[in-house]
Amino acid sequence: MPGGAVGSRRLRSLSELEGCVLGHLWKHGPCTAYAVRRQFLDSPSSHWSGSAGAIYPLLARLEERGLVTSKRLPRGGRRGWTYALAPAGRTQFLRWLAPPVTADMVSLSVDPLRTRVYFLGALPARRREVFLTESIGKLRAHLADLASVSREDEFDRLAVEGATRMMKARLAWMEELRRALAGGKAPQRRRGARAARGKRRGG
Amino acid sequence: MPGGAVGSRRLRSLSELEGCVLGHLWKHGPCTAYAVRRQFLDSPSSHWSGSAGAIYPLLARLEERGLVTSKRLPRGGRRGWTYALAPAGRTQFLRWLAPPVTADMVSLSVDPLRTRVYFLGALPARRREVFLTESIGKLRAHLADLASVSREDEFDRLAVEGATRMMKARLAWMEELRRALAGGKAPQRRRGARAARGKRRGG
DNA sequence: GGACACATGTAATACGTTACATGATTTT
DNA sequence: AAAATCATGTAACGTATTACATGTGTCC
C-alpha cells in the first residue's frame, strides 16, 4: 500500500515490505539485492512481485535511513553490493515485529475471489459455474504448490502451515458455494431474474 | 496495487478497486461518491481505507473512460453528483467479474500476522507469547465483528461466510501455534540460543 | 447561533509496477 | 564467439494514502 507523508522520515515505522526485507537480512545474513528479490520471485503466494524497481530503491532508502549497510561485492568483477542489517535496522525490525498488534494486521486483506462472490448475481448461472469450477481447480493446484515451498526452519514451517490452512478453508468454502448454487436452492435462478434486476440499475 | 503504464488507457482492464466500485453501482443503483466510500469505511475487513483521495478521483477517471455517467444531485442545495453505471461500464464490469481466473486471484495476499511468524525466532519466548496472545484476542474480536456485517442478499451472505471461514482457520492456526511454542518442543528455547544466532547476523 | 459532525473535494507524497537498458556469466 | 540467461539497475507511470480546505446540515 502506497503510503502518504507520515511524520519525519527518520522515525517512520516500517512498511510490510521493508519489514520483510529486513527480516530476510536477519534470517539469512548479508546478501545482495537480487537474493532478496528471489525470495519474492520464488514464492508462489507472495503479494509482491519482487520487481527490481521495488527492491533496489527500497534497499537504497533503508541505507539512507541507516538501517542497512552496504559493501561492494568482494567476488569477481560483478558490480553491485551486499547489504547487511545495521544495529539500528535490527532495532527497527524488532520493533516492527513485536506488539502492539494493530487492527489492519488482523483484518483480512483483499481477496479477489471473495470480492467477486459479492457480485456473482450479475452472472448467469452457467457462467457462475464456469467461474467456480475454474477457481476451484486453480485453488487445488496452488495448494499443491504450497506443499513444496522451502522451509528452512521451524518458523517457516509454521508459517507455511498457516498459509495452507487458509487455502484449504478457502477451497472448502468455494466447493460448498458451488454445491449450494448448483443444487436446489440457487438464488435468482428462475426465469426473468436477470431482466428484473436489470431494471433497478442504471445501464 | 499501483499499476504501471499498461496498454492504451481505454482498453485497460479494471483494477480490483475499480471493479468493486462498479459492482457497488451495479448492486445498489446510482449513488454518490460518498455512498461508495461508506461501503469501504463501514466494512471491518476491507483492504482499502475508502479515503476520499481514492474514491473521488477514481470515479472521475471512470467517467472519463465512459464507464459511469454523472448527474447533479437533484435534492437540496448540496453540491455534488450521483454516479450511475453506463452500458460500457456494465460490460467492463462483467468482463472483470468473469473468467479467466488468473494466478494472482487464487494466491493468498499478504498477511501481516503470517509474515511475522516467519521471523518469530527473532523474539525471546516471552515476547512471542505476548504477540501470539494479543493476536489471538484481536482475531476473536474481529471474528465477532464479522458476524454483524450487513448481508443484503444471498451473495453477501456467501461472501461473508467465506471471510468467516478464513478468519476461523487463521485463528485455529495461531492457537495451535501458541500451544506448540509454549509446550514441550519449542524451538530455540535453550539458553544462549539468541546469542548464538546473533553471531550469524550483521548487527 | 456556535459547535460539531457530515459530505465533497484537492494537494502533496510515497512507492510498487511495467518496461527498458546494460553488463556479466554461462551455454552452445 | 554468438546466443541466451542472469544480475543490476533506471525511468516513467499510476494510484492509494494522509492531510488539509471548505461547504452544509443538525443539535444544544
Side-chain angles (χ1 to χ4, degrees), chain A residues 16 20 23 26-27 45 85 90 96-99 101 106 108-110 114-119 127 134 138 155-156 158-159 162 165-167 170 173 176 200-201 203, chain B residues 16 20 23 26-27 45 85 90 96-99 101 106 108-110 114-119 122 127 134 138 155-156 158-159 162 165-167 170 173 176 200-201 203:
Chain A
E16 287 297 303
C20 286
W26 167 79
K27 206 159 184 170
S45 58
L85 199 57
R90 188 180 151 77
W96 168 81
L97 184 59
V101 176
V106 307
L108 250 29
S109 3
V110 66
R114 177 156 40 85
T115 300
R116 279 160 178 80
V117 168
Y118 281 104
F119 306 122
R127 282 180 81 195
E134 203 181 336
K138 303 240 177 187
F155 293 101
D156 286 1
L158 291 166
R165 274 170 180 251
M166 289 186 74
M167 281 300 294
R170 205 151 74 122
W173 163 63
E176 189 188 295
R200 280 194 64 236
R201 300 190 291 277
Chain B
E16 286 298 303
C20 286
W26 167 78
K27 206 159 182 168
S45 58
L85 198 56
R90 186 181 153 77
W96 168 82
L97 182 60
V101 176
V106 307
L108 249 30
S109 4
V110 66
R114 176 157 40 87
T115 299
R116 279 160 177 80
V117 169
Y118 282 103
F119 306 123
R127 281 180 81 194
E134 204 181 334
K138 302 240 179 188
F155 293 101
D156 286 2
L158 292 167
R165 275 170 179 250
M166 289 186 73
M167 281 299 293
R170 205 151 75 124
W173 162 63
E176 189 188 294
R200 280 194 65 237
R201 296 188 295 276

Coordinates of all heavy atoms in Angstrom, one line a residue, chain A residues 16 20 23 26-27 45 85 90 96-99 101 106 108-110 114-119 127 134 138 155-156 158-159 162 165-167 170 173 176 200-201 203, chain B residues 16 20 23 26-27 45 85 90 96-99 101 106 108-110 114-119 122 127 134 138 155-156 158-159 162 165-167 170 173 176 200-201 203:
Chain A
E16 N 5.3 -3.1 5.5 CA 5.4 -4.6 5.5 C 6.5 -5.0 4.6 O 7.3 -5.9 5.0 CB 4.1 -5.1 4.9 CG 2.9 -5.1 5.9 CD 3.1 -5.9 7.2 OE1 3.4 -7.1 7.1 OE2 3.1 -5.3 8.3
C20 N 9.8 -7.2 5.8 CA 10.2 -8.5 5.2 C 11.6 -8.4 4.7 O 12.4 -9.4 4.9 CB 9.3 -8.7 4.0 SG 7.6 -9.2 4.4
G23 N 13.8 -8.5 7.6 CA 13.7 -9.9 8.1 C 14.6 -10.9 7.4 O 15.2 -11.8 7.9
W26 N 18.0 -10.4 8.4 CA 18.2 -11.0 9.7 C 18.3 -12.5 9.7 O 19.2 -13.1 10.3 CB 17.0 -10.6 10.7 CG 17.1 -11.5 11.9 CD1 17.8 -11.3 13.0 CD2 16.3 -12.7 12.2 NE1 17.6 -12.2 13.9 CE2 16.7 -13.1 13.5 CE3 15.3 -13.4 11.5 CZ2 16.1 -14.2 14.0 CZ3 14.8 -14.5 12.0 CH2 15.2 -14.9 13.3
K27 N 17.5 -13.1 8.8 CA 17.4 -14.6 8.8 C 18.5 -15.2 8.0 O 19.0 -16.3 8.4 CB 16.0 -15.0 8.2 CG 15.6 -16.3 8.7 CD 14.0 -16.5 8.5 CE 13.5 -17.8 9.0 NZ 12.1 -17.8 9.0
S45 N 3.1 -17.6 -3.4 CA 1.9 -16.8 -2.8 C 2.3 -15.5 -2.2 O 1.8 -15.1 -1.2 CB 1.2 -17.7 -1.8 OG 2.1 -18.0 -0.7
L85 N 22.3 -6.1 7.7 CA 21.5 -5.4 8.7 C 22.4 -4.6 9.7 O 23.4 -5.1 10.2 CB 20.8 -6.5 9.6 CG 19.5 -6.1 10.4 CD1 18.5 -5.4 9.5 CD2 19.0 -7.3 11.1
R90 N 18.3 -3.6 13.0 CA 17.9 -4.7 13.9 C 16.8 -4.2 14.9 O 15.8 -4.8 15.1 CB 19.1 -5.3 14.6 CG 18.8 -6.5 15.4 CD 20.0 -7.0 16.0 NE 19.7 -7.8 17.3 CZ 19.2 -9.0 17.3 NH1 19.0 -9.6 16.1 NH2 18.9 -9.6 18.4
W96 N 9.2 -3.5 14.6 CA 8.1 -3.8 13.6 C 7.5 -5.2 13.9 O 6.3 -5.4 13.8 CB 8.8 -3.8 12.2 CG 7.9 -4.4 11.1 CD1 6.9 -3.8 10.5 CD2 8.0 -5.7 10.6 NE1 6.4 -4.6 9.5 CE2 7.0 -5.8 9.6 CE3 8.8 -6.8 10.9 CZ2 6.8 -7.0 8.8 CZ3 8.6 -8.0 10.1 CH2 7.6 -8.0 9.1
L97 N 8.3 -6.1 14.3 CA 7.9 -7.5 14.5 C 7.0 -7.7 15.7 O 6.1 -8.5 15.7 CB 9.2 -8.4 14.7 CG 9.0 -9.9 14.8 CD1 8.3 -10.4 13.6 CD2 10.3 -10.5 15.0
A98 N 7.3 -6.9 16.8 CA 6.6 -7.2 18.1 C 5.3 -6.4 18.2 O 4.9 -5.7 17.3 CB 7.6 -6.7 19.2
P99 N 4.6 -6.7 19.3 CA 3.4 -6.0 19.5 C 3.6 -4.5 19.6 O 4.8 -4.1 19.7 CB 2.9 -6.5 20.9 CG 3.7 -7.8 21.1 CD 4.9 -7.7 20.3
V101 N -0.3 -5.3 18.4 CA -1.0 -5.8 17.2 C -2.1 -4.8 16.7 O -3.0 -4.6 17.5 CB -1.6 -7.2 17.4 CG1 -2.4 -7.7 16.2 CG2 -0.5 -8.2 17.8
V106 N -4.8 -7.8 11.8 CA -5.7 -9.0 12.0 C -6.8 -9.0 10.9 O -7.3 -10.1 10.6 CB -6.4 -9.0 13.4 CG1 -5.4 -8.9 14.5 CG2 -7.4 -7.9 13.5
L108 N -8.7 -9.2 7.4 CA -8.4 -9.9 6.2 C -8.0 -8.9 5.1 O -8.7 -7.9 4.9 CB -9.6 -10.7 5.7 CG -9.6 -12.3 5.8 CD1 -8.7 -12.8 6.9 CD2 -11.0 -12.8 6.0
S109 N -7.0 -9.2 4.3 CA -6.8 -8.4 3.2 C -7.7 -8.7 2.0 O -8.5 -9.7 2.1 CB -5.3 -8.4 2.7 OG -4.6 -9.4 3.4
V110 N -7.6 -8.0 1.0 CA -8.4 -8.2 -0.2 C -8.3 -9.6 -0.8 O -7.2 -10.1 -0.8 CB -8.1 -7.1 -1.2 CG1 -6.7 -7.2 -1.8 CG2 -9.1 -7.1 -2.3
R114 N -13.2 -13.7 -3.2 CA -14.3 -13.3 -2.4 C -15.0 -12.1 -2.9 O -16.2 -12.0 -2.9 CB -13.8 -13.1 -0.9 CG -14.8 -12.6 0.0 CD -14.5 -13.0 1.5 NE -13.1 -12.8 1.8 CZ -12.5 -11.7 2.1 NH1 -13.2 -10.6 2.3 NH2 -11.2 -11.6 2.4
T115 N -14.2 -11.1 -3.3 CA -14.8 -9.9 -3.9 C -15.8 -10.2 -5.0 O -16.9 -9.6 -5.0 CB -13.7 -9.0 -4.5 OG1 -12.8 -8.7 -3.4 CG2 -14.2 -7.7 -5.1
R116 N -15.4 -11.1 -5.8 CA -16.3 -11.4 -7.0 C -17.5 -12.2 -6.5 O -18.6 -12.1 -7.2 CB -15.5 -12.3 -8.0 CG -14.7 -11.4 -8.9 CD -13.5 -12.1 -9.6 NE -12.8 -11.2 -10.4 CZ -11.8 -10.4 -10.0 NH1 -11.5 -10.3 -8.8 NH2 -11.2 -9.6 -10.9
V117 N -17.4 -12.9 -5.4 CA -18.6 -13.6 -4.9 C -19.7 -12.6 -4.6 O -20.9 -12.9 -4.8 CB -18.3 -14.5 -3.8 CG1 -19.5 -15.0 -3.1 CG2 -17.4 -15.7 -4.2
Y118 N -19.4 -11.5 -4.1 CA -20.4 -10.5 -3.8 C -21.2 -10.1 -5.0 O -22.4 -9.8 -4.8 CB -19.7 -9.2 -3.3 CG -19.2 -9.2 -1.8 CD1 -17.9 -9.4 -1.5 CD2 -20.1 -9.1 -0.8 CE1 -17.4 -9.4 -0.2 CE2 -19.7 -9.1 0.5 CZ -18.3 -9.3 0.8 OH -17.9 -9.3 2.1
F119 N -20.6 -10.2 -6.1 CA -21.3 -9.8 -7.4 C -21.7 -10.9 -8.3 O -22.1 -10.7 -9.4 CB -20.4 -8.8 -8.1 CG -19.9 -7.7 -7.3 CD1 -18.6 -7.4 -7.1 CD2 -20.8 -6.8 -6.6 CE1 -18.1 -6.4 -6.3 CE2 -20.4 -5.8 -5.8 CZ -19.0 -5.5 -5.7
R127 N -22.3 -19.2 -16.3 CA -21.0 -18.6 -16.2 C -20.5 -18.6 -14.8 O -19.4 -18.7 -14.5 CB -21.1 -17.2 -16.7 CG -21.0 -17.2 -18.3 CD -21.0 -15.8 -18.8 NE -19.8 -15.1 -18.8 CZ -19.6 -13.8 -18.9 NH1 -20.7 -13.0 -19.1 NH2 -18.4 -13.2 -18.9
E134 N -13.5 -23.2 -12.3 CA -12.1 -22.8 -12.7 C -11.3 -22.4 -11.4 O -10.2 -22.7 -11.2 CB -12.2 -21.7 -13.7 CG -10.9 -21.6 -14.5 CD -11.0 -20.4 -15.5 OE1 -12.1 -20.0 -15.9 OE2 -9.9 -19.9 -15.9
K138 N -7.9 -24.1 -9.8 CA -6.6 -23.3 -9.6 C -6.3 -23.3 -8.1 O -5.1 -23.3 -7.7 CB -6.8 -21.9 -10.1 CG -7.2 -21.8 -11.6 CD -6.1 -21.1 -12.3 CE -6.5 -21.1 -13.8 NZ -5.5 -20.5 -14.7
F155 N 10.0 -22.0 12.0 CA 9.1 -20.9 11.8 C 8.6 -20.8 10.4 O 7.4 -20.5 10.2 CB 9.7 -19.6 12.3 CG 9.9 -19.6 13.8 CD1 11.2 -19.8 14.3 CD2 8.8 -19.4 14.6 CE1 11.4 -19.8 15.7 CE2 9.0 -19.4 16.0 CZ 10.3 -19.7 16.5
D156 N 9.4 -21.1 9.4 CA 9.0 -21.2 8.1 C 7.9 -22.3 8.0 O 6.8 -22.1 7.3 CB 10.1 -21.7 7.1 CG 11.1 -20.5 6.9 OD1 10.9 -19.4 7.4 OD2 12.1 -20.8 6.2
L158 N 5.9 -23.4 10.3 CA 4.7 -23.0 10.9 C 3.9 -21.9 10.1 O 2.7 -22.0 10.0 CB 5.0 -22.4 12.3 CG 5.5 -23.4 13.4 CD1 6.1 -22.6 14.6 CD2 4.4 -24.3 13.8
A159 N 4.7 -21.0 9.5 CA 4.0 -20.0 8.6 C 3.4 -20.7 7.4 O 2.2 -20.3 7.1 CB 5.1 -19.0 8.2
G162 N 0.2 -22.2 8.2 CA -0.9 -21.2 8.3 C -1.4 -20.9 6.9 O -2.7 -20.9 6.7
R165 N -3.5 -23.8 5.7 CA -4.8 -23.9 6.4 C -5.8 -22.9 5.8 O -7.0 -23.2 5.5 CB -4.7 -23.6 7.9 CG -4.3 -24.8 8.7 CD -4.0 -24.3 10.1 NE -3.6 -25.3 11.0 CZ -4.4 -25.7 12.0 NH1 -5.6 -25.2 12.2 NH2 -4.0 -26.7 12.8
M166 N -5.3 -21.7 5.5 CA -6.2 -20.7 5.0 C -6.6 -21.1 3.5 O -7.8 -20.9 3.2 CB -5.6 -19.3 5.0 CG -5.5 -18.8 6.4 SD -4.9 -17.1 6.5 CE -6.3 -16.2 5.9
M167 N -5.7 -21.6 2.8 CA -6.0 -22.0 1.4 C -7.0 -23.1 1.5 O -8.0 -23.2 0.7 CB -4.8 -22.5 0.7 CG -3.9 -21.4 0.1 SD -4.8 -20.3 -1.1 CE -5.0 -21.5 -2.4
R170 N -10.4 -21.7 2.2 CA -10.9 -21.1 1.0 C -11.5 -22.0 0.0 O -12.5 -21.9 -0.6 CB -9.8 -20.2 0.4 CG -10.3 -19.0 -0.4 CD -9.4 -17.9 -0.4 NE -8.2 -18.0 -1.3 CZ -7.9 -17.2 -2.3 NH1 -8.6 -16.2 -2.5 NH2 -6.8 -17.4 -3.0
W173 N -14.7 -23.6 1.2 CA -15.7 -22.6 1.1 C -16.3 -22.6 -0.3 O -17.5 -22.6 -0.6 CB -15.2 -21.3 1.6 CG -16.1 -20.1 1.1 CD1 -17.4 -19.9 1.5 CD2 -15.6 -19.0 0.3 NE1 -17.8 -18.7 0.9 CE2 -16.7 -18.2 0.2 CE3 -14.5 -18.7 -0.3 CZ2 -16.7 -17.0 -0.6 CZ3 -14.4 -17.6 -1.1 CH2 -15.5 -16.7 -1.2
E176 N -18.2 -25.6 -1.3 CA -19.6 -25.6 -0.8 C -20.5 -24.6 -1.5 O -21.6 -24.9 -1.8 CB -19.6 -25.3 0.7 CG -21.0 -25.5 1.3 CD -21.0 -24.9 2.8 OE1 -20.3 -25.5 3.6 OE2 -21.8 -24.0 3.0
R200 N -33.5 -2.3 -12.1 CA -33.1 -1.5 -11.0 C -31.9 -0.6 -11.3 O -31.6 0.4 -10.7 CB -32.8 -2.4 -9.8 CG -34.0 -2.9 -9.0 CD -33.5 -3.5 -7.7 NE -32.9 -2.5 -6.9 CZ -31.7 -2.6 -6.4 NH1 -31.0 -3.6 -6.6 NH2 -31.3 -1.6 -5.6
R201 N -31.1 -1.1 -12.2 CA -29.8 -0.5 -12.4 C -29.8 0.6 -13.5 O -30.7 0.8 -14.2 CB -28.8 -1.6 -12.8 CG -28.7 -2.7 -11.8 CD -27.5 -3.6 -12.0 NE -27.7 -4.4 -13.2 CZ -28.4 -5.5 -13.2 NH1 -29.0 -6.0 -12.1 NH2 -28.6 -6.2 -14.3
G203 N -27.4 1.2 -16.2 CA -27.2 1.0 -17.6 C -28.1 0.0 -18.1 O -27.7 -0.9 -18.8
Chain B
E16 N -8.9 -4.0 -9.0 CA -9.8 -4.6 -8.1 C -10.7 -3.5 -7.5 O -11.9 -3.7 -7.4 CB -9.0 -5.3 -6.9 CG -8.4 -6.6 -7.3 CD -9.5 -7.6 -7.7 OE1 -10.4 -7.9 -6.9 OE2 -9.4 -8.2 -8.8
C20 N -14.8 -3.2 -7.8 CA -15.7 -3.1 -6.6 C -16.6 -1.9 -6.7 O -17.8 -2.0 -6.4 CB -14.8 -2.9 -5.3 SG -14.0 -4.4 -4.8
G23 N -19.1 -2.6 -9.2 CA -20.0 -3.6 -8.6 C -21.0 -2.9 -7.6 O -22.2 -3.3 -7.6
W26 N -23.6 -1.4 -9.7 CA -24.5 -2.4 -10.2 C -25.5 -2.9 -9.2 O -26.7 -3.1 -9.5 CB -23.7 -3.6 -10.8 CG -24.5 -4.8 -11.1 CD1 -25.3 -4.9 -12.2 CD2 -24.8 -5.9 -10.2 NE1 -26.0 -6.1 -12.1 CE2 -25.7 -6.7 -10.9 CE3 -24.3 -6.3 -9.0 CZ2 -26.2 -7.9 -10.4 CZ3 -24.7 -7.5 -8.5 CH2 -25.7 -8.3 -9.1
K27 N -25.0 -3.1 -8.0 CA -25.8 -3.7 -7.0 C -26.8 -2.8 -6.3 O -27.9 -3.2 -5.9 CB -24.9 -4.3 -5.9 CG -25.4 -5.5 -5.1 CD -24.3 -6.3 -4.5 CE -24.9 -7.5 -3.8 NZ -23.8 -8.5 -3.4
S45 N -13.4 -5.4 7.4 CA -12.2 -6.1 6.9 C -11.9 -5.8 5.4 O -11.5 -6.6 4.6 CB -12.5 -7.6 6.9 OG -13.6 -8.0 6.2
L85 N -24.0 3.5 -13.4 CA -23.3 2.6 -14.3 C -23.7 2.9 -15.8 O -24.9 2.9 -16.1 CB -23.6 1.2 -13.9 CG -22.7 0.0 -14.4 CD1 -21.3 0.3 -14.0 CD2 -23.2 -1.3 -13.8
R90 N -21.0 -1.5 -17.5 CA -21.6 -2.8 -17.2 C -20.9 -3.9 -17.9 O -20.5 -4.9 -17.4 CB -23.1 -2.8 -17.6 CG -23.8 -4.0 -17.3 CD -25.3 -3.9 -17.7 NE -25.8 -5.3 -18.0 CZ -26.2 -6.1 -17.0 NH1 -26.2 -5.7 -15.7 NH2 -26.7 -7.3 -17.2
W96 N -14.7 -8.0 -16.0 CA -13.8 -8.1 -14.9 C -14.2 -9.3 -13.9 O -13.4 -10.0 -13.4 CB -13.9 -6.8 -14.1 CG -13.3 -6.8 -12.7 CD1 -11.9 -6.7 -12.4 CD2 -14.0 -7.0 -11.5 NE1 -11.8 -6.8 -11.0 CE2 -13.0 -6.9 -10.4 CE3 -15.3 -7.1 -11.1 CZ2 -13.3 -7.0 -9.1 CZ3 -15.7 -7.2 -9.8 CH2 -14.7 -7.2 -8.8
L97 N -15.5 -9.4 -13.8 CA -16.1 -10.4 -12.9 C -15.9 -11.8 -13.3 O -15.7 -12.7 -12.5 CB -17.6 -10.1 -12.7 CG -18.4 -10.9 -11.8 CD1 -17.9 -10.8 -10.4 CD2 -19.9 -10.5 -11.8
A98 N -15.9 -12.1 -14.6 CA -16.0 -13.4 -15.2 C -14.6 -14.0 -15.3 O -13.6 -13.3 -15.2 CB -16.7 -13.4 -16.5
P99 N -14.5 -15.3 -15.7 CA -13.3 -15.9 -16.0 C -12.6 -15.2 -17.1 O -13.2 -14.4 -17.8 CB -13.7 -17.3 -16.5 CG -15.0 -17.5 -15.9 CD -15.6 -16.2 -15.8
V101 N -9.8 -17.0 -14.6 CA -9.2 -16.9 -13.3 C -7.7 -16.8 -13.3 O -7.1 -17.8 -13.7 CB -9.7 -18.0 -12.3 CG1 -9.1 -17.8 -11.0 CG2 -11.2 -18.0 -12.2
V106 N -6.0 -16.4 -7.2 CA -6.1 -17.5 -6.3 C -5.0 -17.5 -5.2 O -5.2 -18.0 -4.1 CB -6.0 -18.9 -7.0 CG1 -7.0 -19.0 -8.1 CG2 -4.6 -19.2 -7.5
L108 N -2.7 -16.4 -2.1 CA -3.0 -15.6 -0.9 C -2.4 -14.2 -0.9 O -1.2 -14.1 -1.3 CB -2.5 -16.4 0.3 CG -3.4 -17.0 1.3 CD1 -4.7 -17.5 0.6 CD2 -2.7 -18.2 1.9
S109 N -3.1 -13.2 -0.5 CA -2.4 -11.9 -0.4 C -1.6 -11.9 0.9 O -1.6 -12.8 1.7 CB -3.4 -10.8 -0.5 OG -4.7 -11.2 -0.5
V110 N -0.9 -10.8 1.0 CA -0.1 -10.6 2.2 C -0.9 -10.7 3.5 O -2.0 -10.2 3.6 CB 0.6 -9.2 2.1 CG1 -0.3 -8.1 2.2 CG2 1.7 -9.1 3.1
R114 N 1.0 -13.7 9.4 CA 1.8 -14.8 8.9 C 3.2 -14.3 8.6 O 4.2 -15.0 8.9 CB 1.1 -15.3 7.6 CG 1.9 -16.5 7.0 CD 1.0 -17.4 6.1 NE 0.0 -16.6 5.4 CZ 0.2 -16.1 4.2 NH1 1.3 -16.2 3.6 NH2 -0.8 -15.4 3.6
T115 N 3.3 -13.2 8.0 CA 4.7 -12.6 7.7 C 5.5 -12.6 8.9 O 6.7 -13.0 8.9 CB 4.5 -11.2 7.2 OG1 3.8 -11.2 6.0 CG2 5.9 -10.6 6.9
R116 N 4.9 -12.2 10.0 CA 5.7 -12.1 11.3 C 6.1 -13.4 11.8 O 7.1 -13.6 12.5 CB 4.9 -11.2 12.3 CG 5.1 -9.8 12.0 CD 4.0 -8.9 12.7 NE 4.3 -7.5 12.5 CZ 4.0 -6.8 11.3 NH1 3.4 -7.5 10.3 NH2 4.2 -5.5 11.2
V117 N 5.3 -14.4 11.6 CA 5.6 -15.8 12.1 C 6.9 -16.3 11.5 O 7.7 -16.9 12.2 CB 4.4 -16.8 11.8 CG1 4.9 -18.2 12.0 CG2 3.2 -16.4 12.6
Y118 N 7.2 -15.9 10.2 CA 8.4 -16.3 9.6 C 9.6 -15.9 10.5 O 10.7 -16.5 10.5 CB 8.6 -15.7 8.2 CG 7.8 -16.4 7.2 CD1 6.6 -15.8 6.7 CD2 8.3 -17.6 6.6 CE1 5.9 -16.5 5.7 CE2 7.5 -18.2 5.6 CZ 6.4 -17.7 5.1 OH 5.7 -18.3 4.2
F119 N 9.5 -14.7 11.2 CA 10.6 -14.1 11.9 C 10.5 -14.2 13.4 O 11.2 -13.6 14.1 CB 10.7 -12.7 11.5 CG 10.8 -12.5 10.0 CD1 9.9 -11.7 9.3 CD2 11.8 -13.1 9.2 CE1 9.9 -11.5 7.9 CE2 11.9 -12.9 7.8 CZ 10.9 -12.1 7.2
A122 N 13.2 -14.3 16.1 CA 14.0 -13.1 16.5 C 13.5 -12.6 17.8 O 14.3 -11.8 18.5 CB 13.8 -12.0 15.4
R127 N 8.2 -12.6 24.7 CA 7.6 -11.7 23.8 C 6.8 -12.3 22.7 O 5.8 -11.8 22.2 CB 8.6 -10.7 23.2 CG 9.1 -9.6 24.2 CD 10.1 -8.7 23.6 NE 9.5 -7.7 22.7 CZ 10.2 -6.9 21.9 NH1 11.5 -7.2 21.8 NH2 9.7 -6.0 21.2
E134 N -1.9 -11.7 22.1 CA -2.6 -10.4 21.7 C -3.3 -10.6 20.3 O -4.4 -10.2 20.1 CB -1.6 -9.3 21.6 CG -2.2 -7.9 21.7 CD -1.1 -6.8 21.6 OE1 0.0 -7.1 22.0 OE2 -1.5 -5.7 21.2
K138 N -7.3 -10.3 19.4 CA -7.9 -9.4 18.4 C -8.6 -10.2 17.2 O -9.5 -9.8 16.7 CB -6.7 -8.6 17.8 CG -6.0 -7.8 18.8 CD -6.1 -6.3 18.5 CE -5.3 -5.5 19.6 NZ -5.5 -4.1 19.5
F155 N -25.7 -13.5 -1.9 CA -24.3 -13.5 -2.3 C -23.4 -12.8 -1.2 O -22.3 -13.2 -0.9 CB -24.1 -12.9 -3.7 CG -24.7 -13.8 -4.7 CD1 -25.9 -13.4 -5.3 CD2 -24.0 -14.9 -5.1 CE1 -26.4 -14.3 -6.3 CE2 -24.6 -15.7 -6.1 CZ -25.8 -15.4 -6.6
D156 N -24.0 -11.7 -0.6 CA -23.3 -11.1 0.5 C -23.1 -12.1 1.6 O -22.0 -12.3 2.2 CB -24.1 -10.0 1.1 CG -24.1 -8.7 0.2 OD1 -23.5 -8.8 -0.9 OD2 -24.8 -7.7 0.6
L158 N -22.9 -15.4 1.4 CA -21.9 -16.4 1.0 C -20.5 -15.8 1.1 O -19.6 -16.5 1.5 CB -22.2 -16.9 -0.4 CG -23.5 -17.7 -0.6 CD1 -23.9 -17.8 -2.1 CD2 -23.4 -19.1 0.0
A159 N -20.4 -14.6 0.7 CA -19.0 -14.0 0.7 C -18.6 -13.8 2.2 O -17.4 -14.1 2.5 CB -19.0 -12.6 0.0
G162 N -17.4 -16.9 3.6 CA -16.0 -17.2 3.2 C -15.0 -16.5 4.1 O -14.0 -17.1 4.5
R165 N -14.9 -18.2 7.4 CA -14.2 -19.4 7.4 C -12.6 -19.2 7.4 O -11.9 -19.9 8.2 CB -14.5 -20.2 6.2 CG -15.7 -21.1 6.3 CD -16.1 -21.6 4.9 NE -17.2 -22.5 4.9 CZ -17.2 -23.8 4.7 NH1 -16.0 -24.4 4.5 NH2 -18.3 -24.5 4.7
M166 N -12.2 -18.2 6.7 CA -10.8 -18.0 6.6 C -10.3 -17.4 7.9 O -9.2 -17.8 8.4 CB -10.4 -17.0 5.5 CG -10.6 -17.7 4.1 SD -10.0 -16.7 2.7 CE -8.3 -16.8 2.9
M167 N -11.1 -16.5 8.5 CA -10.7 -16.0 9.8 C -10.6 -17.1 10.9 O -9.7 -17.1 11.7 CB -11.7 -14.9 10.3 CG -11.5 -13.6 9.7 SD -9.9 -12.8 10.0 CE -10.0 -12.6 11.7
R170 N -7.5 -19.0 10.4 CA -6.4 -18.3 10.9 C -6.3 -18.3 12.4 O -5.2 -18.5 13.0 CB -6.5 -16.8 10.4 CG -5.2 -16.1 10.3 CD -5.2 -15.0 9.2 NE -5.9 -13.8 9.6 CZ -5.4 -12.6 9.6 NH1 -4.1 -12.4 9.3 NH2 -6.1 -11.6 9.8
W173 N -5.2 -21.7 13.6 CA -3.7 -21.9 13.3 C -2.9 -21.2 14.4 O -2.0 -21.8 14.9 CB -3.4 -21.4 11.9 CG -2.0 -21.1 11.6 CD1 -1.0 -22.0 11.6 CD2 -1.4 -19.8 11.4 NE1 0.2 -21.3 11.3 CE2 -0.1 -20.0 11.1 CE3 -2.0 -18.5 11.2 CZ2 0.8 -18.9 10.8 CZ3 -1.1 -17.5 10.9 CH2 0.3 -17.7 10.7
E176 N -3.0 -23.0 17.7 CA -2.1 -24.2 17.7 C -0.7 -23.8 17.8 O 0.1 -24.4 18.5 CB -2.4 -25.1 16.4 CG -1.7 -26.4 16.5 CD -1.7 -27.2 15.2 OE1 -2.8 -27.6 14.9 OE2 -0.6 -27.4 14.6
R200 N 25.5 -15.0 13.6 CA 25.4 -15.2 12.2 C 25.0 -13.8 11.5 O 25.3 -13.7 10.3 CB 24.2 -16.1 11.9 CG 24.6 -17.6 12.1 CD 23.6 -18.5 11.4 NE 23.5 -18.3 10.0 CZ 22.4 -17.9 9.4 NH1 21.3 -17.7 10.0 NH2 22.4 -17.7 8.1
R201 N 24.5 -13.0 12.2 CA 23.9 -11.8 11.6 C 24.8 -10.6 11.6 O 25.9 -10.6 12.2 CB 22.6 -11.4 12.3 CG 21.5 -12.5 12.2 CD 20.2 -12.1 12.7 NE 20.2 -11.8 14.2 CZ 20.0 -12.8 15.1 NH1 19.9 -14.0 14.7 NH2 20.0 -12.4 16.3
G203 N 24.2 -7.2 12.5 CA 24.2 -6.2 13.6 C 24.9 -6.8 14.8 O 24.5 -6.6 15.9

